[in-house]
Amino acid sequence: MAAAIRPGGKGGGSMIYYFSGTGNSKWAALRLAALLGDAAVNLMDPGRESPSAGEAVGLVFPIYAWGPPKPVAEFAKGLQGEAAFRYGVCTCGENAGNAMELLHKDFPMDSAYSLVMPNNYVLGSQLESDAIVREKLRRAKERLPEIAGEIRARKPCWQVEKGPQPRLRTKLIHPFFDRFATSTQPFFATDACIGCGLCARNCPAHAITLVDNRPEWKGNCYLCTSCINRCPVQAIQYGEKTKGRGRYVCPEE
């Protein structure tokens, strides 16, 4: 679906901000923007526009360990002004836990949705087959017009698949992930690296620099897995966890 969107531009009375590592949330945000006639903007873009007073505001983002990614949470805290309508759409492999309730504390939402998308967390497990990826995308395409219709009607709605033990997962596992699981130390590039620099250019945490045409990681990252999944020669690994596993970038990004 082609979207008449100019980065940072205004759409039909709404601004959609998205965060995306491997393309799932970007894909969802752009399709949603096209359905609504609104603007979709990467919230990591330093030149992004701020929402106008009285404008509807939406956040589209992936779920990280049953919570919102750090940059999304930080961005939400900084949103000022009275929005006509606030909503959030989280993309997840299966369920979101209490991620939307957690975000709601800093970004009070009128509506919240979860959208099941292909699994991209190569650090945790082998990725899904092409058939499962296609089926998940097909279902997401069918679901997005329903979400867009409710947003257009400014209909308060909370349709989030939380999964089992959502409170426990979001309250205990997510803070542990944010504090202890985002070190860059396990990352390394194998001899297959071609020095293209794509990983450094795409890193939203600016945690990668090229030294002698080889990537080096410093500090902490968001663990978006963009560098691992987008490497054109699959040269980037995360310790032993990613060896022998597939890679994923949204095929319709």
Side-chain angles (χ1 to χ4, degrees):
M1 178 181 296
I5 301 167
R6 60 186 188 279
K10 296 293 182 182
S14 176
M15 183 71 80
I16 300 172
Y17 295 97
Y18 68 85
F19 175 80
S20 187
T22 60
N24 280 344
S25 293
K26 178 182 178 181
W27 175 88
L30 293 180
R31 291 189 72 89
L32 188 60
L35 289 164
L36 292 169
D38 291 338
V41 181
N42 184 346
L43 65 81
M44 300 302 292
D45 181 358
R48 66 179 181 271
E49 286 190 23
S50 298
S52 301
E55 187 176 39
V57 177
L59 295 179
V60 181
F61 58 92
I63 292 297
Y64 288 0
W66 297 285
K70 273 187 177 180
V72 174
E74 292 168 357
F75 178 78
K77 289 178 182 178
L79 283 174
Q80 303 294 326
E82 291 294 328
F85 189 81
R86 291 187 175 198
Y87 62 92
V89 179
C90 64
T91 60
C92 53
E94 293 182 3
N95 49 65
N98 275 357
M100 299 308 260
E101 284 82 356
L102 182 60
L103 183 66
H104 186 69
K105 295 178 180 179
D106 295 312
F107 181 71
M109 292 175 284
D110 298 286
S111 295
Y113 304 88
S114 60
L115 185 69
V116 174
M117 293 287 288
N119 174 35
N120 63 0
Y121 195 59
V122 65
L123 276 63
S125 63
Q126 181 59 273
L127 300 183
E128 295 160 335
S129 67
D130 290 344
I132 293 176
V133 168
R134 289 193 298 269
E135 178 61 16
K136 282 190 170 183
L137 287 173
R138 183 190 68 79
R139 292 183 181 181
K141 289 176 185 176
E142 292 180 351
R143 178 70 180 120
L144 280 170
E146 299 173 3
I147 294 174
E150 292 173 351
I151 292 171
R152 187 182 298 108
R154 302 295 189 258
K155 178 182 177 181
C157 190
W158 202 278
Q159 297 179 359
V160 179
E161 179 57 49
K162 296 183 178 183
Q165 299 180 311
R167 184 177 180 182
L168 176 67
R169 287 176 164 180
T170 299
K171 189 173 182 179
L172 296 182
I173 298 176
H174 181 68
F176 181 89
F177 173 87
D178 271 353
R179 186 172 181 181
F180 299 110
T182 55
S183 170
T184 56
Q185 289 184 358
F187 286 97
F188 69 94
T190 69
D191 291 339
C193 175
I194 58 176
C196 66
L198 184 65
C199 53
R201 292 194 298 273
N202 283 333
C203 179
H206 306 293
I208 305 173
T209 56
L210 287 188
V211 178
D212 296 328
N213 285 327
R214 300 276 295 187
E216 290 189 0
W217 288 260
K218 292 183 179 180
N220 293 322
C221 75
Y222 303 134
L223 225 58
C224 71
T225 72
S226 173
C227 61
I228 296 173
N229 281 302
R230 292 185 182 275
C231 177
V233 292
Q234 297 188 14
I236 297 176
Q237 304 290 347
Y238 188 85
E240 297 294 321
K241 292 183 178 181
T242 53
K243 290 183 177 180
R245 291 179 177 173
R247 300 294 190 262
Y248 173 84
V249 175
C250 182
E252 298 185 11
E253 182 186 19

